[in-house]
């Protein structure tokens, strides 16, 4: 079979399931058979024409699958049939940016994001993985596809929000928006040992989920002055770290106004238009705050670390996968996801069939200390 099914972007609000050529790997590349993928908020921006990509591109940047074919030079490291995930960001590991630790900016601004942006993505039966040695991360046998499906993008991004914010033990943290990324940022704050974690979202269902991901207090921004309430909860100071996980001027500004002098605003959102920092929110430029931005960390070592967190029961993101579809049903899944209908958080897309059954049993060990 030299062709495969894929979901192709043809223009604004026009994605189609089509038969297209199956990719073949060149030296250093691999082809994986996709068993699970998902839809991201960024894909919604692309399909609506708010982020330009070329017509004819296969979208999707969250691949879980099995090695189908290896290009030359990979025989020592991998074998056909191994289960793998690949980060949404696929750094080369060898350019100026990679050697300077800015892997997501590989070759230049946003350059590490290739799948479904500058090269064909994961909404397909097969996916060509560039720089495979830097990017194919082997999945431990005992982890199911669903347990690792959130790792390539939203878990990596969301948790990085807390890492970039340098959350310390006992910190107070406010996370603005509790969609999938914001929930993972809330989880990241808990993992890094934050004390008070405040989850902000207008939707009751998301606020209640924020509680299970680590928020001790949740606030509804339509219900009053969130910044004043955050100040009240932090002895008038503001939080040590605020994480912005939506990409709007209002949430950016509220996050900035919520940070204490000397604190950190960690921004994960994708903004459009102009982004403004009011002078009083940065204390006329003298408040010693830091504003840091983060694009999803990728590469196989990042994926290995996230899988270790799943394997050792530190994180479980399967509750985010609220709806499941086949690849042919992807346009229907996209409608549901893009309209946030029927309580959807994330959708699972399964080109080889929707999985049945429960999560595999883990070995447990009793260790005395
Ligand atoms: Zn994404
Ligand atoms: Zn690079």
């Amino acid at each position: 079979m030299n062709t495969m099914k894929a979901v192709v972007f043809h223009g604004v609000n026009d994605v189609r399931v089509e038969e297209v050529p199956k990719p073949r790997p060149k030296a250093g590349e691999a082809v994986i058979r996709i068993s699970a993928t998902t839809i991201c908020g960024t894909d919604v921006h692309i399909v609506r024409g708010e982020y330009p990509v070329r017509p004819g591109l296969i979208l999707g940047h969250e691949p879980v699958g099995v090695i189908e074919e290896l290009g030359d030079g990979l025989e020592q490291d991998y074998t056909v049939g191994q289960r793998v995930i690949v980060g949404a960001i696929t750094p080369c590991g060898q350019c100026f940016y990679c050697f300077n630790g800015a892997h997501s900016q590989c070759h230049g601004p946003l350059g590490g994001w290739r799948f479904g942006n500058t090269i064909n993505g994961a909404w397909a039966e097969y996916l060509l993985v560039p720089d495979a040695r830097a990017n194919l991360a082997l999945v431990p046998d005992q982890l199911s596809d669903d347990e690792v499906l959130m790792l390539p993008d939203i878990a990596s991004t969301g948790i990085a929000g807390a890492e970039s914010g340098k959350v310390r033990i006992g910190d107070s943290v406010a996370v603005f928006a509790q969609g999938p990324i914001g929930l993972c940022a809330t989880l990241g704050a808990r993992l890094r040992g934050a004390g008070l974690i405040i989850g902000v979202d207008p939707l009751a269902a998301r606020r209640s989920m924020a509680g299970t991901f680590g928020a001790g207090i949740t606030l509804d921004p339509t219900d009053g002055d969130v910044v004043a309430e955050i100040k009240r909860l932090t002895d008038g100071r503001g939080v040590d770290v605020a994480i912005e996980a939506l990409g709007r001027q209002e949430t950016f500004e509220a996050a900035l106004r919520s940070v204490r002098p000397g604190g950190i605003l960690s921004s994960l959102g994708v903004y459009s238009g102009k982004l403004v920092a009011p002078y009083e929110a940065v204390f006329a430029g003298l408040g010693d705050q830091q504003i840091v931005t983060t694009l999803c960390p990728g590469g196989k070592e990042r994926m290995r670390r996230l899988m270790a967190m799943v394997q050792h029961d530190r994180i479980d993101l399967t509750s985010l996968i609220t709806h499941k579809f086949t690849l042919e049903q992807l346009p229907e899944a996209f409608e549901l996801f893009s309209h946030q209908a029927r309580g959807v958080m994330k959708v699972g897309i399964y080109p080889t069939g929707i999985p049945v059954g429960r999560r595999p049993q883990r070995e447990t060990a009793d260790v005395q200390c």
Side-chain angles (χ1 to χ4, degrees):
M1 285 279 282
N2 293 321
T3 64
M4 64 170 184
K5 272 196 189 64
V7 182
V8 179
F9 173 76
H10 281 276
V12 176
N13 295 321
D14 184 3
V15 290
R16 302 176 210 162
V17 182
E18 286 178 354
E19 205 66 31
V20 302
K22 181 181 165 186
R24 297 292 311 276
K26 294 206 263 301
E29 300 174 339
V31 168
I32 65 174
R33 177 164 51 84
I34 299 289
S35 54
T37 184
T38 181
I39 301 174
C40 175
T42 308
D43 299 315
V44 176
H45 289 298
I46 291 172
V47 173
R48 286 179 178 161
E50 295 156 5
Y51 181 93
V53 302
R54 67 175 164 81
L57 191 73
I58 301 168
L59 301 183
H61 50 260
E62 288 137 297
V64 177
V66 174
I67 297 176
E68 168 82 2
E69 190 177 359
L70 292 165
D72 288 343
L74 295 167
E75 308 80 9
Q76 304 289 318
D77 301 88
Y78 298 102
T79 52
V80 168
Q82 285 178 315
R83 294 176 64 222
V84 291
I85 60 172
V86 185
I89 302 298
T90 48
C92 75
Q94 309 191 45
C95 71
F96 169 91
Y97 290 94
C98 284
F99 277 122
N100 279 286
H103 298 94
S104 301
Q105 312 301 326
C106 176
H107 290 295
L110 279 58
W113 174 30
R114 296 192 267 184
F115 291 140
N117 180 25
T118 55
I119 65 173
N120 280 333
W123 292 358
E125 289 180 288
Y126 298 94
L127 173 71
L128 182 79
V129 179
D131 298 305
R133 190 180 279 119
N135 288 297
L136 288 179
L138 299 178
V139 178
D141 287 342
Q142 62 269 49
L143 300 189
S144 69
D145 283 1
D146 278 356
E147 286 180 298
V148 297
L149 178 55
M150 297 295 111
L151 306 185
D153 185 6
I154 65 154
S156 187
T157 303
I159 292 171
E163 295 170 288
S164 297
K166 299 188 177 71
V167 173
R168 295 183 303 164
I169 297 235
D171 266 354
S172 54
V173 178
V175 183
F176 287 80
Q178 295 292 309
I181 298 265
L183 287 170
C184 289
T186 299
L187 179 63
R190 178 169 74 184
L191 291 168
R192 287 184 61 98
L196 173 63
I197 302 176
I198 303 165
V200 183
D201 200 284
L203 298 178
R206 295 189 169 200
R207 288 198 303 278
S208 101
M209 229 158 157
T212 66
F213 277 71
I217 291 177
T218 57
L219 299 176
D220 177 354
T222 63
D223 199 28
D225 186 342
V226 166
V227 175
E229 185 58 17
I230 288 173
K231 291 261 170 77
R232 195 187 67 76
L233 291 164
T234 51
D235 295 329
R237 288 192 296 265
V239 285
D240 300 301
V241 181
I243 301 174
E244 202 284 349
L246 191 63
R248 301 232 176 101
Q249 172 68 32
E250 310 90 85
T251 40
F252 176 82
E253 203 172 314
L256 191 56
R257 291 179 191 279
S258 302
V259 173
R260 66 165 170 82
I264 299 177
L265 166 55
S266 174
S267 172
L268 296 173
V270 182
Y271 303 94
S272 50
K274 203 172 182 179
L275 188 61
V276 179
Y279 80 95
E280 73 277 8
V282 292
F283 305 96
L286 306 172
D288 289 341
Q289 299 121 311
Q290 297 174 54
I291 299 175
V292 291
T293 70
T294 306
L295 173 59
C296 176
K300 70 178 178 185
E301 171 60 7
R302 175 68 172 179
M303 293 301 113
R304 185 197 68 76
R305 285 172 175 273
L306 292 171
M307 285 190 284
M309 297 301 279
V310 177
Q311 192 175 359
H312 300 294
D313 294 318
R314 302 294 179 209
I315 62 176
D316 177 1
L317 302 168
T318 52
S319 64
L320 292 176
I321 309 167
T322 51
H323 297 72
K324 300 188 177 191
F325 298 87
T326 63
L327 185 64
E328 287 82 358
Q329 294 170 321
L330 197 147
E332 182 191 327
F334 185 87
E335 276 301 298
L336 176 82
F337 180 76
S338 62
H339 291 104
Q340 293 185 8
R342 292 195 273 134
V344 67
M345 288 299 291
K346 292 285 278 188
V347 296
I349 307 289
Y350 306 93
T352 53
I354 296 171
V356 287
R358 297 167 59 79
R359 90 184 217 176
Q361 280 290 307
R362 294 278 162 71
E363 282 175 31
T364 55
D366 285 322
V367 179
Q368 291 202 321
C369 50

